[in-house]
Amino acid sequence: MKYTKTNMRIVVAFLLVMFTISMSAQNKGKALLDEVSKKVKSYDNISIDFKYTLENTSENIKQETRGDVVLQGEKYKLNILGITRLFDGNKTYSISPEDEEVTISSESEDEEDAITPSKMLSFYEEGYTYALDIEQNIKGRKIQYVKLIPIDSNSELKSLLLGIDTKTKHIYNLIQIGKNGSKTTLTVNSFKTNQTISKTLFTFDANKYQDYYINKLD
């Protein structure tokens, strides 16, 4: 699957949703979201393998890919669509072996897909309403869905369904429904916590990419 900036933005946004649940929902979904948020914040780090699916039946599109991510506080390392995206807490490095290019950018509050400390705590604090949705039994796991609806009527997003394992309080999947008929789903295949990770995992080593074109956006 060819990498696009839009695809990466969607995945990053999904991951934000999965690990930055808002604390302001004023309905029956609030207690469950609070439990998920509390559980996630108790871990030193989180390692996830996931499946990402994009469907649009009207355009006869169905694409599937797999990826993995390691998160620790603000920092993360994401691998998907042949791209490695590394955030060291200050700068984001998008590494594309196919193009032999590294794009370096500083995170900013004004950037649409920025991952910053303040956003990590309030990504969905404003702009969405919450409500409990259906509960499903999936492979012996009880999955409770919470529906998120954009308050902004001009949003390209119709709704989000966040599936939560009621036993572990971990995210099972996230389903995004677009107003254009598209459906994107991120399903967690493996969820590991407090793993032993390298101290340099989130450090960009320029020596490994001496033959790459370095594109600095700042």
Side-chain angles (χ1 to χ4, degrees):
M1 184 189 305
K2 180 65 176 176
Y3 159 77
T4 68
K5 185 175 181 180
T6 299
N7 285 337
M8 183 64 78
R9 181 173 294 161
I10 289 173
V11 173
V12 172
F14 272 19
L15 293 170
L16 276 171
V17 175
M18 293 176 69
F19 304 106
T20 60
I21 303 301
S22 166
M23 305 298 288
S24 66
Q26 299 299 318
N27 53 50
K28 292 182 179 180
K30 182 181 186 303
L32 183 56
L33 294 177
D34 284 353
E35 286 187 79
V36 175
S37 180
K38 182 178 179 180
K39 191 75 174 285
V40 166
K41 291 175 183 177
S42 71
Y43 300 130
D44 180 61
N45 61 66
I46 300 172
S47 300
I48 294 174
D49 291 323
F50 61 87
K51 181 175 73 172
Y52 171 75
T53 305
L54 169 64
E55 299 176 84
N56 191 319
T57 53
S58 63
E59 298 183 14
N60 196 30
I61 295 175
K62 184 170 183 179
Q63 300 174 330
E64 289 188 0
T65 190
R66 292 181 179 273
D68 61 80
V69 64
V70 179
L71 302 102
Q72 184 175 54
E74 302 169 32
K75 302 175 183 179
Y76 69 86
K77 184 175 183 179
L78 167 68
N79 296 300
I80 191 171
L81 300 167
I83 303 294
T84 295
R85 180 165 170 144
L86 179 71
F87 179 54
D88 63 7
N90 182 37
K91 292 183 181 294
T92 298
Y93 303 85
S94 293
I95 305 165
S96 173
E98 181 179 349
D99 299 323
E100 294 189 341
E101 179 178 356
V102 177
T103 300
I104 305 174
S105 62
S106 296
E107 293 298 340
S108 166
E109 291 284 353
D110 297 327
E111 291 179 356
E112 182 178 349
D113 60 341
I115 296 183
T116 64
S118 59
K119 242 182 180 179
M120 291 291 279
L121 294 175
S122 59
F123 187 73
Y124 281 100
E125 192 170 79
E126 296 180 359
Y128 285 80
T129 60
Y130 297 76
L132 284 180
D133 203 84
I134 62 173
E135 182 180 277
Q136 291 184 333
N137 189 305
I138 301 177
K139 298 180 180 179
R141 301 168 66 184
K142 186 180 292 184
I143 307 299
Q144 173 66 61
Y145 283 90
V146 178
K147 191 171 187 178
L148 299 79
I149 301 175
I151 295 173
D152 183 3
S153 60
N154 294 319
S155 172
E156 296 180 359
L157 183 65
K158 183 178 179 181
S159 64
L160 286 166
L161 280 174
L162 186 63
I164 300 168
D165 186 317
T166 59
K167 181 179 180 180
T168 64
K169 300 302 185 294
H170 291 166
I171 302 298
Y172 168 71
N173 68 350
L174 184 66
I175 303 169
Q176 173 180 291
I177 308 297
K179 290 181 178 178
N180 63 354
S182 64
K183 177 182 177 181
T184 47
T185 305
L186 191 149
T187 303
V188 174
N189 294 321
S190 173
F191 189 105
K192 299 179 181 179
T193 61
N194 300 334
Q195 300 293 291
T196 300
I197 60 178
S198 170
K199 293 182 179 180
T200 61
L201 181 64
F202 307 108
T203 302
F204 176 72
D205 185 355
N207 292 325
K208 295 181 179 180
Y209 306 100
Q210 294 183 15
D211 296 331
Y212 280 44
Y213 171 70
I214 306 298
N215 179 23
K216 295 184 178 181
L217 301 182
D218 304 325

